[in-house]
Amino acid sequence: MQISHIIIQLCYRLEESRRYRAIKDRVYDILENPRSPARSYFDLSMIALVVASVFLLIYEVRNDLGLFGDLFEVFVVTVFIVEYLLRFWVFNDSHRIILQHYERAQFLGTPFRLGPALGEVMRRKWDYVSSPLAIIDLLAIVPSYRPLRFLRIFLLFRLFKMFRYARSLSEFIRVLSEKRFELLTLAAFMAFLVFTAATAFYFFEAEARPDYPHTLFDGIYWALVTITTLGYGDIVPLTAEGRIVAMILIIAGMGVIAFFTSIIVSAFNEKMPEIRAQRVYAEVERRGDYTVLCGFGRVGQVVAERLAQDREHFVVVDSDSRKVDMAKKKGYLTIEGNAQDNELLARLGIDRKAKRVLSLTGDDVVNVYITLTARQMNPGVEIISRANHRENIVKMERAGANYTVAPYQMAGIVAAEYAGQPVAFEAISDMLSGEKGVGIDAIRVREGSVLSGRRMKEIPFKRYRLILFGVITGTPRDEIDGMRFYNLEDQQFIFNPGPAFRLETDDLLVVFGHEYSLSHFKQRIERGAV
Amino acid sequence: MGTPTTLIFGCGALGQEVASHLQQRVPDLLMISNSLEKVEEAVEKGFAAKHADYTRDEVLKSLGIGEGVERIYCLFPEDSKNVFLTISARALDRDLTIICTAETPQSIQKLTAAGASKVIDTYEMVGRKIHELTCRPLVVQTLERVVFGKADLETAEITIPPRSPFASKRLNEIHLDQHYDIILLGLVDLEIGDKLIFNTRGLNHRLDPGDILVVIGPARELDRLRKDVSPNRH
């Protein structure tokens, strides 16, 4: 058997395994999930461990702890290594990437190649390894390896581990550099004050008592200590003139400090929203392959929640600051702004990296505009738009939406359905929502697959606890009596094909069942034993 | 004009949408709003609409609630109006079917507490569908066109009447997918409970009078099945 085959099968087995999923979710909860209670306990114990290990390191500089110290060090390093590897593991789902490649290849009917799939797997993992926090983690471990003892100073990186979530240093510097003009003015003013005061101090004091201020440097030192209101008191003015200079300098110093504080405060106040947005843009840029969700109304919220559940990458755009706050509270990447703004869409990389745009605001005019703008920027991006009024569905499609969803129309259909047949209505809504674990899936018949050429009666759907709905096919068929065709775009849907119906390569089998049944069935197809 | 059996409160976009879907099924429906403007708009579009102040019980009674009306829809965009209407209507008629829409998740509970038979959470539904579209577009499209679209496939529920030839038969004896061009999606088996059971569990239920089959199929086949299920033919 080919290696790629074995890998695919393994991936399907992982995908199917409930235990694997449960374990991985549990690890994710402990290590990464910001909302899980287990995580905070974990963080606290890690901080304790880091502090203890650094404390011991310092203690060992002058004392020898013997075996205990060595054992503790081994323990700490083991914990760090396990933590590092676990984080590496839960960072993403590699088997999903391979399955995605595989299913895409199946869907398009092209041969599956393992190389690019593995390449993407490695690239995603490299994303993790090259992230700053992962590097800090690594540097906290590496110096414990004896041949790299010279890197001992990096053991202090263990302290940096505690700041996994505070990476504001570079932003602090950036904000200050924005206020360069004010700071320079202040610095010039201060330099002038210090120099004047130092000269005066030197002039009066050095003359009165030849011992103390030896040079002008002593004067400058004194002036700076005084102006910052620090006042060590090692050099003090003794003459009345010198004291007058000191008094003026103290008053001026208070002004300087106040000025300095206000510059920094105002700089942060002004820049804070931008810093946040910047972070979001940077984050978006780094991730790639994400969804831009415009409009965080009720529909947007539901979609965002589900995307977050799927661990899909997405960024929320809304112009209402209250909604933006709400999205931020939920931990989503959010940008406050008007999605009709070309520049904003461009900065979000609609023309480059975005996979999908969802235009879900409550205003059809805005939705059409977003749809049109996004389509012009990128002919290939997938756009799903919301049309609140029936007459606007056509406009959305003309503007370039791949799919249009009309809430009122859906509600209309559902409400009308509920009137006549409440049970059937519940069935359909469960089926569509997938809330009870049941759902519909489409399975592509690959060339050479066991399904190809099979008749329906030869596939034991019952045993797999699946219900066959029909087949979507592009291959025209001879009519077996009573067979029903429904036209899709360039394909046909055959409802309830009889037992004699024969599957061809590239047909899509539409089946309904529990998600585990579906996954099991797919796995069996892979193994070639249906 | 006799009293209508179905009333739609709210003549906005949603009300009109519901009315246009219901029209084929329920010919005698009437739209009601307390906004003259909205009523005129609905009348212009060809719906039967009437201006009435729904906040007063006499008006609701004169519209037939508590007598001929079987079902009302509360489709105002303001949840508070829907809650008020639900409470008023429920007080007048215990058995009335009240179907509401809700803007926020909080109002769903309020509407249910007020006595609504069914609350349709439009936004939740749309959100779900958009999410489905992002991960499985082909399946959604198939369902769209075939089950909810213009094609003649329909979802239907068929209740087994007393003395039906189907009564006391087992599921594997009736072969809906072969004798009829019909797929059995699930059923309500009264022996087990009044909840819907999907036909994916592989259970071989015994059908009894009162059980409900949920099926998908072409209209003509569904009619044939309905006829065969009813007792008077045999």
Side-chain angles (χ1 to χ4, degrees), chain A residues 226-262:
Chain A
T226 309
I227 202 170
T228 52
T229 72
L230 208 58
Y232 288 134
D234 52 347
I235 301 176
V236 286
L238 292 177
T239 61
E241 294 91 336
R243 285 182 175 165
I244 288 168
V245 172
M247 287 191 289
I248 295 170
L249 199 57
I250 287 166
I251 307 268
M254 289 190 333
V256 167
I257 296 289
F259 191 21
F260 184 66
T261 315
S262 77

Side-chain angles (χ1 to χ4, degrees), chain A residues 109-156:
Chain A
T110 52
F112 169 71
R113 284 183 305 146
L114 197 58
L118 285 182
E120 193 179 333
V121 168
M122 310 245 251
R123 235 176 296 131
R124 295 296 301 278
K125 288 295 185 198
W126 177 250
D127 281 349
Y128 173 71
V129 174
S130 62
S131 67
L133 287 173
I135 291 173
I136 287 179
D137 282 352
L138 195 64
L139 284 176
I141 298 169
V142 167
S144 298
Y145 180 56
R146 294 217 168 263
L148 294 177
R149 275 287 180 191
F150 66 93
L151 290 175
R152 270 188 87 80
I153 184 65
F154 284 118
L155 280 177
L156 286 179

Side-chain angles (χ1 to χ4, degrees), chain B residues 171-187:
Chain B
L171 268 189
N172 61 1
E173 293 173 62
I174 53 177
H175 294 297
L176 288 176
D177 55 338
Q178 287 166 32
H179 296 328
Y180 308 88
D181 195 2
I182 281 175
I183 288 171
L184 176 68
L185 199 59
L187 76 166

Side-chain angles (χ1 to χ4, degrees), chain A residues 298 310 390 421 423 440 508, chain B residues 17 121 131 136 155 157:
Chain A
R298 275 273 286 132
D310 289 358
R390 182 188 276 230
Q421 337 186 78
V423 181
I440 292 189
L508 273 174
Chain B
E17 198 66 55
D121 189 348
H131 172 248
R136 304 184 306 167
T155 323
E157 54 182 78

